[in-house]
């Protein structure tokens, strides 16, 4: 999570929403690291989670990423959770909850939905305070409040 948080800090410095992500193999190898790039890329899908899934799929030459763990500083949104399901990620570890858009426990929990063809483990609250402080700092500057 520390590496994901460092990437989120880099995003902050680049005026991106400060979310960082890291994908780790079952053997503990770092497969991909990135941060949000929606503004830089003019791409609404350029969330940190999507970018690391794309990179790891290229590294492994496989669109399925079984046995992997995704570390992300903020609880994933519905788009990212959908990609996590499609990639067959085994576990998602996140820092701070997103009470407005998070779908791994906040507004909904897709990780446990029996109607979907893949379920995965979720570990919330890792380095929660640091992750929350960084994103609140960003939104205080950009929106005049500290609420995500």
């Amino acid at each position: 999570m520390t590496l994901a948080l460092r990437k989120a800090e880099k995003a902050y410095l680049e005026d991106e929403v400060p979310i960082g992500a890291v994908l780790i193999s079952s053997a503990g190898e770092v497969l991909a690291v990135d941060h949000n790039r929606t503004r830089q890329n003019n791409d609404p899908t350029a969330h940190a989670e999507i970018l690391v899934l794309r990179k790891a799929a290229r590294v492994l030459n496989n669109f399925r990423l079984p046995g992997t763990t995704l570390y992300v500083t903020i609880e994933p949104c519905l788009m990212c959770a959908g990609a996590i399901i499609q990639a067959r990620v085994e576990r998602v570890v996140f820092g701070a909850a997103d009470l407005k858009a998070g779908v791994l426990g906040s507004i909904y929990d897709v990780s446990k939905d029996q109607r979907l063809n893949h379920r995965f483990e979720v570990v919330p609250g890792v380095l929660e305070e640091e992750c929350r402080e960084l994103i609140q700092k960003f939104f205080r500057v950009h929106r005049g409040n500290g609420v995500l």
Side-chain angles (χ1 to χ4, degrees), residues 50-80:
I50 300 292
L51 297 174
V52 298
L53 293 176
R54 287 175 181 162
K55 285 181 177 182
R58 285 192 299 271
V59 166
L60 297 175
N61 197 32
N62 191 347
F63 69 101
R64 300 285 195 222
L65 305 168
T68 58
T69 299
L70 177 67
Y71 291 84
V72 60
T73 56
I74 302 297
E75 180 181 2
C77 70
L78 187 56
M79 174 184 69
C80 293

Side-chain angles (χ1 to χ4, degrees), residues 15-73:
D15 204 31
E16 291 281 356
V17 174
I19 298 174
V22 179
L23 192 72
I24 307 291
S25 74
S26 59
E29 174 190 6
V30 174
L31 297 172
V33 181
D34 216 327
H35 60 77
N36 274 15
R37 296 178 186 276
T38 56
R39 293 174 182 212
Q40 289 175 25
N41 295 0
N42 290 314
D43 179 356
T45 70
H47 289 196
E49 302 95 319
I50 300 292
L51 297 174
V52 298
L53 293 176
R54 287 175 181 162
K55 285 181 177 182
R58 285 192 299 271
V59 166
L60 297 175
N61 197 32
N62 191 347
F63 69 101
R64 300 285 195 222
L65 305 168
T68 58
T69 299
L70 177 67
Y71 291 84
V72 60
T73 56

